[in-house]
Amino acid sequence: MPFKAEDLLNIDIPVVEQTFTVKDTMFYALSVGLAYSPLDPAMLEFVYEKTLKALPTMGVVLAHPGNWMVSMNTGIDYLKVVHGEQGLIVHKSLPTEGAVVGKTRVIGVADKGEGRGALIFVERDIADKATGEKLVTVTDTTFARGDGGCGSAGSAGPKPHAIPERNPDIVCDLPTMNQMGLIYRLNADYNPLHADPGVAERAGFEKPILHGLATYGVAGHAVLKEACGYDPARLRTLSGRFTAPVYPGETFRTEIWIDVDVASFRTKSIERDVVAINNGRADIRR
């Protein structure tokens, strides 16, 4: 029996407080592949305490509410959920250390019909604990494949961003490490699908796949590098749709189209020619 959309909108997901250090900030950057060229001064600024900056995409791992869909007995068929979209709105550049508070809420449910699943739209506001100032808003869309017929309620998510129908203006190739999944999971996503070969095989994969948010972090690195000149203060938003799994160790090619203050992008595995993130959009401060 599927959940009811109205009930999901009214669920009270606990507030999460988190203290993080410069070590955590450097670790996150390393976990998404920064400083693969350790002599590059621009990348070094995200992994070395002397001139440390925080990657904007670190916001997606801060004050995370955990697996609330299971722990709060929502009725969602968790074995059939898929991470569909991820977004980030940057209100203020993240500090390299501090204490934050995250408040997560379900803002909408879009029922696709009996047997067709439902989309669940979630927002998490992350604020500085000391000042209450909002730092980032994290958005994500979950495709609950087993929960069609639940009804619709609240706000629907935005329509997919259209990629321009021309050759990309910039192409950025970034390598990933074979052990990236084992490193990234220490950000707090311990799903064995990303570490245990047996679990991955039973799920239909030849080996453990990379976290979607790790792929998102690599794409964010490409956009930050090519469209923002490695200046975190210039990135206003970053969003995209997950379209296929990828494996640690593959090379990710991010194609970027620049139109004034909007950067459209998509990211794919070069080795298998598989698009991992599509319909990407980043709003850039001039």
Side-chain angles (χ1 to χ4, degrees):
M1 193 67 185
F3 61 86
K4 293 182 180 179
E6 288 288 352
D7 292 343
L8 205 59
L9 257 63
N10 293 324
I11 194 168
D12 187 16
I13 302 170
V15 172
V16 176
E17 296 185 5
Q18 179 183 355
T19 299
F20 64 101
T21 67
V22 294
K23 182 178 178 180
D24 298 313
T25 297
M26 291 186 283
F27 176 82
Y28 173 79
L30 290 168
S31 77
V32 295
L34 268 288
Y36 64 86
S37 178
L39 300 183
D40 185 324
M43 284 192 282
L44 197 61
E45 290 188 330
F46 295 92
V47 298
Y48 180 40
E49 66 276 11
K50 184 178 179 180
T51 55
L52 190 62
K53 302 176 183 176
L55 283 177
T57 53
M58 185 174 70
V60 302
V61 302
L62 292 178
H64 196 282
N67 194 357
W68 60 270
M69 291 185 181
V70 173
S71 63
M72 299 191 70
N73 297 315
T74 59
I76 297 170
D77 186 351
Y78 192 70
L79 294 177
K80 295 183 179 180
V81 302
V82 176
H83 193 171
E85 300 175 338
Q86 184 66 47
L88 179 71
I89 303 169
V90 182
H91 306 291
K92 183 179 180 181
S93 295
L94 291 172
T96 58
E97 61 182 342
V100 292
V101 178
K103 176 58 179 175
T104 303
R105 61 191 180 279
V106 179
I107 62 168
V109 178
D111 186 5
K112 298 176 73 69
E114 190 72 36
R116 299 178 59 195
L119 298 174
I120 303 170
F121 306 102
V122 179
E123 282 189 356
R124 180 167 89 255
D125 286 327
I126 300 174
D128 184 283
K129 182 180 179 181
T131 66
E133 186 175 18
K134 190 185 296 186
L135 299 173
V136 297
T137 298
V138 181
T139 64
D140 67 75
T141 302
T142 296
F143 180 29
R145 296 177 297 157
D147 292 297
C150 62
S152 297
S155 303
K159 294 181 179 179
H161 175 65
I163 297 295
E165 296 182 359
R166 66 176 194 268
N167 290 332
D169 300 308
I170 303 168
V171 174
C172 178
D173 292 345
L174 296 175
T176 66
M177 301 175 291
N178 289 324
Q179 66 270 41
M180 179 178 275
L182 296 172
I183 296 172
Y184 187 86
R185 70 193 302 265
L186 301 181
N187 286 306
D189 186 346
Y190 294 101
N191 188 333
L193 181 62
H194 307 296
D196 190 321
V199 171
E201 184 178 3
R202 289 194 293 275
F205 300 106
E206 61 182 70
K207 57 185 177 180
I209 61 174
L210 190 60
H211 303 71
L213 286 182
T215 308
Y216 176 83
V218 177
H221 175 195
V223 171
L224 187 69
K225 175 179 184 288
E226 302 293 351
C228 302
Y230 276 122
D231 181 359
R234 293 188 60 199
L235 185 67
R236 295 178 54 231
T237 72
L238 185 79
S239 62
R241 302 178 68 201
F242 296 112
T243 50
V246 287
Y247 294 102
E250 294 181 334
T251 306
F252 292 169
R253 171 167 292 170
T254 299
E255 300 170 319
I256 303 172
W257 292 259
I258 304 294
D259 293 289
V260 191
D261 54 359
V262 174
S264 305
F265 68 93
R266 65 176 168 228
T267 300
K268 66 179 180 180
S269 159
I270 291 180
E271 288 81 358
R272 293 182 299 117
D273 195 27
V274 171
V275 176
I277 297 178
N278 206 349
N279 304 103
R281 175 179 175 138
D283 292 280
I284 311 298
R285 292 185 177 93
R286 299 187 190 181

